[in-house]
Amino acid sequence: MKPGGRRLPIFPLITALFAVLLFVSCSGRITGAVQTNEQGEFIIEAELAPASARLLAPFSPSAAQSAPVLDAGIISRSLQGAPGVASARMLNTSPENIAGSIGFTKISDFLMAGELRFITWDQGPASGRAVITIDRSKGPQMIAMLSQDVADYLSAVMAPIATGEPLSKTEYLRLVSSVYGSAIAREIENAEITASISFPGHITMAQGGDFSGSTARFRAKLLDLLVLEQPLGYEVRWTPFRL
């Protein structure tokens, strides 16, 4: 999509426990905690790399030079309507950066529709377990549950998570480079998402990451999530705290 076409509001996709803000070339950080009753709060920070910020600037709702590329108000309103979300408060710390918090009423309700479940949460008296799974077959439906604008935007940047197209990571980067330039492709390739999440017990296993005490830590490449060449899966198990 080129400047002068339809202006797409820039919404993020934040996936609860091991979240990522899904816009091109965004690096994200999340810290937070989930309670036994599945309520939780997460602190989000996200930033656009320089070439991506220049690409997206023409799609900002405001033409002012100082207008944010990522509009925190639009992002907050989008998230507030998502299932399982109690609150969303995002602020622009600069035109390219956002930060804020998201509160959840029930983590397993996030991005759930019918038999499609993105997050599985099991809490018993002796153990707890949280599982996140995402693959290319679930991606388009999951994104559409947040907003059609999310689907439109990610389709515009040709992300297989939205289109379902069976591209490899190499093929996707080559496609992005041919349409938007090599600088954008490099930023996508280098972008990372990190998460540090506390659970209601002593963690005994963290598939896809590491852990210490009640905190699990994860690091993921944005490219892996956008392309989903291989399904992504994360699992955390814990034993409840004893009073």
Side-chain angles (χ1 to χ4, degrees):
M1 179 173 294
K2 297 181 179 180
R6 178 190 171 196
R7 287 190 172 183
L8 298 176
I10 299 170
F11 295 97
L13 172 62
I14 303 182
T15 56
L17 299 179
F18 315 110
V20 53
L21 300 180
L22 274 182
F23 30 75
V24 168
S25 302
C26 175
S27 293
R29 293 170 295 279
I30 179 170
T31 58
V34 187
Q35 304 171 23
T36 303
N37 61 3
E38 298 190 51
Q39 293 181 2
E41 184 172 38
F42 299 86
I43 307 300
I44 304 294
E45 298 175 83
E47 58 185 321
L48 282 172
S52 296
R54 290 193 296 272
L55 171 69
L56 297 179
F59 303 115
S60 171
S62 173
Q65 186 173 1
S66 60
V69 179
L70 305 174
D71 191 304
I74 290 175
I75 289 169
S76 295
R77 289 191 293 273
S78 175
L79 288 168
Q80 287 165 2
V85 174
S87 62
R89 297 179 294 272
M90 308 299 291
L91 297 172
N92 285 106
T93 56
S94 77
E96 297 83 18
N97 298 357
I98 59 172
S101 64
I102 303 169
F104 289 90
T105 56
K106 188 176 182 182
I107 204 76
S108 60
D109 283 351
F110 191 58
L111 300 182
M112 183 187 73
E115 296 182 358
L116 176 66
R117 183 179 289 275
F118 174 63
I119 301 169
T120 299
W121 180 277
D122 296 318
Q123 178 69 62
S127 64
R129 182 178 73 118
V131 180
I132 286 182
T133 55
I134 180 173
D135 59 38
R136 201 172 282 167
S137 67
K138 296 177 182 177
Q141 184 179 355
M142 183 182 72
I143 291 169
M145 281 190 290
L146 277 179
S147 166
Q148 185 57 47
D149 290 291
V150 173
D152 288 348
Y153 175 68
L154 290 176
S155 294
V157 295
M158 305 164 292
I161 190 175
T163 66
E165 188 173 357
L167 296 175
S168 68
K169 288 183 285 188
T170 299
E171 290 170 333
Y172 177 63
L173 289 174
R174 187 181 301 125
L175 179 61
V176 170
S177 182
S178 68
V179 175
Y180 295 115
S182 59
I184 300 292
R186 284 194 300 271
E187 289 179 354
I188 292 175
E189 186 174 19
N190 294 330
E192 286 189 337
I193 300 97
T194 60
S196 179
I197 309 298
S198 295
F199 290 83
H202 299 286
I203 296 175
T204 58
M205 185 267 279
Q207 176 187 334
D210 57 52
F211 64 93
S212 175
S214 62
T215 301
R217 293 171 293 274
F218 298 88
R219 183 182 299 271
K221 301 291 289 185
L222 177 63
L223 179 62
D224 290 339
L225 184 56
L226 289 176
V227 177
L228 292 174
E229 186 173 0
Q230 299 295 329
L232 298 181
Y234 302 93
E235 181 176 357
V236 178
R237 293 177 181 263
W238 64 89
T239 58
F241 293 123
R242 302 299 180 188
L243 299 178

